[in-house]
Amino acid sequence: MHHDVAELRSFYYDRPLGRVVQRILRERLTALWPPSRATGMTVAGYGFAAPLLRPYLARARRVMALMPGQQGVMAWPAGLPNHSVLADEDAWPLDTGSVDRLLVLHALETADHAAGLLTECARVLGPGGRMVVMVPNRAGLWAQTDTTPFGIGRSYTRGQLEAQARAAGFVPETAGAAVYIPPSDRRFWLKTAQLWERTGTRIASVLIAGVVVAEFSKQAPAPVGPAQRVVIPSPLELLDGIRRPRPSAEPSRSGGPSRRRDD
């Protein structure tokens, strides 16, 4: 089962609960990746990451919101030149190693081939690039209801997400959780959402959170091996051009100067 772009848009932009979730996840993302440090970077999102990418539009060199074909695509951002692109799950229209920061939201849990999706993420990220994945928490209330986008597809534990990312070559960096309020439209929960977020972060418990948030890095080993020759200059080459010292002339036994050996 896949997400529908119209339902995702309605949740994040029209529904009060969705706007609260958008603010919570955006604050969590910008805490990991401050927009002020994104100058000159290429920032991309896959799935339905557009609501969280707006803070990077002013600073990053390039911002893209890739949306899977099964989900559908919408123009984004409103009132500005379009930054959204329709993409296949395992074939993105991006050059290898061209992305510095990648956000995956509402994508991994509904992917037809999760391993292939993560392989594509690894392809487009450059060495040292960072990826943040946000998925429904298997132990949370949000994965148990189908009234929000987090109740669709596979849910994950932190260990399952990290194991799948490692298999694709990623290195875990940080892990946590977000969205500690229940999936309810009641005003009490919406008004106290920030309080619950601060409390949940201090407790550091994933059991009651709705979303698992994990950051990974792509680390490429140095290309030194049989196919890579390392040339070390010879000391004689470094001294090339410097005249060798000549032995001083010594008087011969006959009283005259002795002949040098190189004469």
Side-chain angles (χ1 to χ4, degrees):
M1 186 175 183
H2 294 276
H3 293 291
D4 181 85
V5 68
E7 295 178 356
L8 289 166
R9 181 175 183 175
S10 177
F11 176 76
Y12 279 105
Y13 293 102
D14 300 332
R15 190 172 168 184
L17 178 62
R19 290 196 295 269
V20 169
V21 173
Q22 177 185 160
R23 183 173 66 250
I24 291 171
L25 296 182
R26 183 186 292 178
E27 290 177 354
R28 186 59 57 87
L29 180 66
T30 55
L32 290 170
W33 301 341
S36 60
R37 299 181 183 177
T39 303
M41 290 186 176
T42 295
V43 181
Y46 180 76
F48 196 75
L52 278 59
L53 297 178
R54 180 175 282 273
Y56 301 97
L57 288 171
R59 294 295 189 97
R61 182 178 66 89
R62 190 180 183 190
V63 179
M64 296 166 289
L66 299 119
M67 302 187 185
Q70 298 93 332
Q71 167 192 292
V73 66
M74 71 175 191
W76 177 84
L80 294 174
N82 182 57
H83 288 252
S84 62
V85 182
L86 191 67
D88 290 332
E89 185 176 283
D90 56 356
W92 299 356
L94 298 176
D95 292 334
T96 299
S98 61
V99 176
D100 300 293
R101 297 290 184 268
L102 175 63
L103 170 65
V104 179
L105 173 63
H106 296 307
L108 190 63
E109 65 268 26
T110 59
D112 291 330
H113 304 285
L117 171 58
L118 290 174
T119 298
E120 187 68 359
C121 293
R123 182 188 70 82
V124 302
L125 272 178
R130 297 286 179 122
M131 174 180 71
V132 165
V133 182
M134 299 181 178
V135 290
N137 177 21
R138 175 163 294 184
L141 293 175
W142 288 73
Q144 313 304 320
T145 177
D146 56 1
T147 60
T148 76
F150 296 98
I152 298 176
R154 299 177 296 272
S155 54
Y156 283 82
T157 65
R158 172 180 169 179
Q160 290 170 338
L161 178 59
E162 291 184 348
Q164 201 162 37
R166 280 196 186 97
F170 288 100
V171 177
E173 296 292 343
T174 61
V179 188
Y180 288 88
I181 61 173
S184 171
D185 290 291
R186 292 186 178 182
R187 294 182 61 185
F188 170 77
W189 296 113
L190 300 181
K191 286 186 175 182
T192 59
Q194 294 301 322
L195 173 63
W196 289 108
E197 287 301 308
R198 291 192 297 268
T199 303
T201 303
R202 294 192 188 100
I203 297 174
S205 173
V206 183
L207 295 178
I208 59 176
V211 182
V212 175
V213 180
E215 182 186 26
F216 304 93
S217 65
K218 177 183 176 181
Q219 300 180 8
V224 176
Q228 183 74 18
R229 296 185 61 186
V230 178
V231 179
I232 301 176
S234 168
L236 295 179
E237 294 178 2
L238 294 176
L239 298 175
D240 189 25
I242 301 177
R243 297 185 62 183
R244 298 178 180 177
R246 293 175 176 270
S248 59
E250 297 179 358
S252 64
R253 295 181 179 179
S254 61
S258 63
R259 297 184 63 184
R260 291 193 297 267
R261 296 179 180 178
D262 55 354
D263 286 347

